[in-house]
Amino acid sequence: MKIAVGGIHTECSTYSPLHQEVEDFDVVRGTELLEQTGLGKERFPDTTFCPLFHARSIPGGPVSTGCYLTFKSGFLAELQASLPVDGVLLIMHGAMHVPDIDDPEGDWISAVRDVVGPEVPIAVSYDLHGNVTQKIIDQIDIFCAYRTAPHIDVRETHLRAADNLVDQLAGGPRRSVVWAAVPVLLPGERTSTEDEPVKSIYRELPHYDRQQGIADANLMIGYVWADTGRATAAAVVTGTEPDRAAFVAREIAARYWAARNDLDFGVPTMPLPDCLDDAEHVETFPFILADSGDNPTGGGVGDRTDILKAWLDRGMTGAVFAGIADPGATEKAWEAFEGDVLSLDIGGSFGSDCPRLTISAVVGKKAGTKTGRNREVLIHVSENSVILTERRRPFHNIVDFRRFGIDPTLTRYLIVKSGYLSPELAPLANPARMALTDGAVNQDIPALKNENRTNPTYPFRTNFDWHPKSLFSKRLIVK
C-alpha cells in the first residue's frame, strides 16, 4: 500500500503584531521526514510511505495569505504527482490562523480530499492545542492527537495515526471520527498533563482505546490566543462503532467540563514584581523564571524586554536571559570581537509594545551562521548575561545554553521565555516561578479581546450550563 505523508504545522496568536511568511518555516522532505515521524519499513514492512513535505514554524502571529497559499498549492501539486495513493497521513497542528481564511486546516484537508477522492482514507496527527471544526471532521477517517503537554509523545502520535491507517487499509475495520466541542478555552499552562485534574483525564485515554469499537480517544485543549469562531476544546474519538465512539466523546467532554474550575497553573504564578521579590530573597538555585506573555512556543513574539528592564532597574545581578530576539542588535554584536564593549538598542524589534533599552554590553560567545539566518550572541550587561538571537526561538534544552559555555545547573537565575517549563529545564528549577507578563500570549484570559469566539465560552463567561453533544463525520455515509 502507498501512503502520502506531509502537512503544515504552526500556532498563531491573533494578538501578535508579527505575520509569518514562507521564510519563517522550516520545510522537511524525503527520508528526513520519514525518519522524524518514525515511518520506517521495520514497523510497516508492507507499506510504502511517500513523503511530500512538512512545513513547520515556531508559533507566532498570523500566517500571511500569500504564504499559506504558496504552501497549499505546492503540497497539492506534489500530492497530485504522487497519485494514485491508498491513503494520506497529514501531520498538522490545528491552530494556524490566516486572516482571509476562517478555517485554514479545514481548507487544507478539504483540498487534499478533493485531490484523492472520497474512497481514500485520510488520517491526521494533531497537537492537543489545536482547534477542531466540523469541516475537518467531515473530511477525515482517523484523528490522533498528542496526549502530553509539554509534548513528549510527538512521534508516538504520528505512529498511532499511521497504525490505524495501515490497519484499515490492510483489511481491518473501517474507522470514522466523532467529536464533541467543549466550551472551555484555557492556556496550556493551566492544562498541563503533568498536573491534576487534566493528568487523570489524559491517563485514561489509552484505556478507552482498548474498549470495543474505539480506536483512538483524544481530548483537545484548543488554542486560546486566537480570537476566532473555531477556537474550542473538544473530545475527538476515532472509532469502528460510531455510536460507541459518540458515547465516549460525550464522556470525555463531560469530564473536562466538570474539571474547568479546578484548572490552575502548575507552578507559583504571579505578577512580575512579586516574582522579582521572590528572586531577591531566594536561598536555593537555580531560580528559573518564565516570561509567560512572550513565550515563542505559545505564539509570543519573543522580542520583549520587560523583565530585563525591571531586573536592571532593581540592580539585580547573576541572571542569564535566554533569549531576546533582535536581529539588528544581534548583527551589531556579531560584527564586533569577543570582549568588545558596545552600546546596543534592544527590544520590540518585531513589533511588540515594550521598552526599548539602550545598554552597554560586553560581547561574548557567538553561535550560528549568517547564511543560516540563525546568528546568536551572548552579551554581558551589568553582571548579567543576555543571549541575543537573530530569529525568534525558545531556549528549552540544556544544549541551548552549553553552546555558550553556560551550565544551567550552576546558574543562579535563569530567565526564559516560556509558559510551563520544558522537560529538560523543569527538573532543574529550585524553585520555579511564572511571571504574568504582557505579550501576545498574555495569561489573563478573561481580559483578552473576545469578539469572535463562540459565546458562551468559559472563562469569558462562567455562569452557564452545558451538556455534551456528539457530532458525526459525514464520511459515515461514504461507502
Side-chain angles (χ1 to χ4, degrees):
M1 64 191 77
K2 179 181 175 183
I3 297 174
V5 181
I8 189 166
H9 187 286
T10 191
E11 193 173 55
C12 303
S13 168
T14 60
Y15 306 103
S16 170
L18 182 67
H19 277 224
Q20 299 188 60
E21 302 293 347
V22 170
E23 58 268 22
D24 294 311
F25 284 78
D26 293 320
V27 179
V28 178
R29 300 177 177 276
T31 56
E32 185 180 0
L33 175 54
L34 298 186
E35 289 170 1
Q36 284 189 3
T37 51
L39 302 173
K41 283 292 183 183
E42 184 173 330
R43 187 182 183 102
F44 303 101
D46 300 322
T47 304
T48 297
F49 287 98
C50 176
L52 306 181
F53 69 78
H54 187 247
R56 179 169 185 158
S57 74
I58 294 172
V63 174
S64 75
T65 303
C67 171
Y68 171 76
L69 294 177
T70 295
F71 281 125
K72 176 187 170 185
S73 62
F75 190 84
L76 297 178
E78 293 190 24
L79 178 61
Q80 186 72 49
S82 301
L83 297 180
V85 296
D86 299 296
V88 179
L89 173 58
L90 295 177
I91 311 297
M92 310 295 282
H93 182 288
M96 180 165 49
H97 178 71
V98 181
D100 299 323
I101 300 173
D102 289 337
D103 182 3
E105 282 88 0
D107 178 75
W108 184 288
I109 297 169
S110 296
V112 169
R113 171 60 67 199
D114 289 342
V115 170
V116 300
E119 302 301 327
V120 174
I122 296 176
V124 299
S125 172
Y126 260 56
D127 188 309
L128 65 84
H129 296 123
N131 298 313
V132 179
T133 65
Q134 188 65 40
K135 184 174 184 177
I136 292 168
I137 299 298
D138 282 342
Q139 306 303 322
I140 63 176
D141 304 86
I142 294 159
F143 183 99
C144 300
Y146 305 163
R147 289 171 171 170
T148 60
H151 307 315
I152 59 174
D153 66 333
V154 175
R155 176 180 283 205
E156 291 82 355
T157 304
H158 303 333
L159 293 176
R160 279 166 38 216
D163 284 339
N164 271 279
L165 181 56
V166 169
D167 180 76
Q168 178 170 323
L169 290 172
R174 182 182 171 212
R175 277 75 165 167
S176 64
V177 183
V178 183
W179 77 303
V182 188
V184 174
L185 274 172
L186 286 170
E189 288 73 18
R190 290 175 62 181
T191 54
S192 170
T193 60
E194 298 287 316
D195 304 317
E196 295 293 359
V198 172
K199 181 177 181 179
S200 292
I201 299 175
Y202 275 87
R203 189 171 52 216
E204 290 298 315
L205 296 181
H207 298 292
Y208 286 114
D209 296 352
R210 295 190 284 272
Q211 293 183 10
Q212 177 69 32
I214 305 301
D216 203 275
N218 303 276
L219 173 61
M220 300 293 289
I221 299 300
Y223 185 67
V224 68
W225 290 295
D227 185 15
T228 64
R230 68 193 185 108
T232 185
V236 187
V237 179
T238 301
T240 57
E241 297 178 11
D243 288 340
R244 178 61 188 163
F247 175 83
V248 169
R250 292 193 297 272
E251 186 171 287
I252 295 170
R255 286 194 65 186
Y256 189 55
W257 171 257
R260 69 193 183 282
N261 292 314
D262 298 321
L263 303 173
D264 204 354
F265 298 108
V267 299
T269 302
M270 58 197 72
L272 177 58
D274 295 337
C275 290
L276 298 185
D277 289 344
D278 284 357
E280 287 185 303
H281 297 99
V282 72
E283 296 180 355
T284 57
F285 303 98
F287 181 99
I288 302 184
L289 176 59
D291 181 1
S292 66
D294 201 30
N295 169 23
T297 60
V301 180
D303 66 347
R304 298 188 69 98
T305 55
D306 309 76
I307 296 184
L308 178 60
K309 182 179 187 306
W311 191 272
L312 295 176
D313 286 347
R314 288 189 180 215
M316 299 175 70
T317 61
V320 174
F321 288 79
I324 296 176
D326 193 309
T330 300
E331 181 170 18
K332 184 175 180 180
W334 182 271
E335 297 299 330
F337 293 101
E338 190 169 337
D340 284 356
V341 179
L342 300 177
S343 176
L344 295 175
D345 294 326
I346 63 172
S349 61
F350 288 121
S352 290
D353 182 14
C354 69
R356 184 75 175 166
L357 305 182
T358 299
I359 57 174
S360 177
V362 179
V363 177
K365 292 182 180 294
K366 304 173 185 178
T369 65
K370 185 173 184 177
T371 56
R373 294 175 50 249
N374 60 356
R375 291 174 293 179
E376 298 173 358
V377 182
L378 178 68
I379 60 172
H380 304 288
V381 183
S382 301
E383 298 182 60
N384 299 285
S385 298
V386 179
I387 302 175
L388 297 176
T389 65
E390 184 172 18
R391 299 181 70 181
R392 303 164 50 252
R393 62 157 292 189
F395 283 76
H396 283 175
N397 301 318
I398 292 175
V399 68
D400 295 333
F401 301 92
R402 287 185 172 162
R403 67 201 302 224
F404 293 99
I406 298 169
D407 184 346
T409 64
L410 303 178
T411 300
R412 188 173 179 85
Y413 302 106
L414 188 62
I415 292 88
V416 291
K417 292 186 181 297
S418 184
Y420 45 60
L421 295 180
S422 69
E424 289 195 20
L425 294 185
L428 306 182
N430 189 26
R433 295 289 185 270
M434 190 169 76
L436 295 172
T437 48
D438 290 332
V441 288
N442 190 311
Q443 296 285 337
D444 187 1
I445 304 305
L448 295 176
K449 180 181 178 182
N450 182 36
E451 297 177 349
N452 300 303
R453 296 179 184 88
T454 299
N455 186 23
T457 293
Y458 180 92
F460 299 97
R461 273 187 52 191
T462 57
N463 57 340
F464 66 98
D465 293 324
W466 174 83
H467 301 282
K469 177 183 178 182
S470 51
L471 298 173
F472 297 87
S473 169
K474 72 176 185 182
R475 293 283 295 161
L476 276 173
I477 65 174
V478 178
K479 302 298 183 181

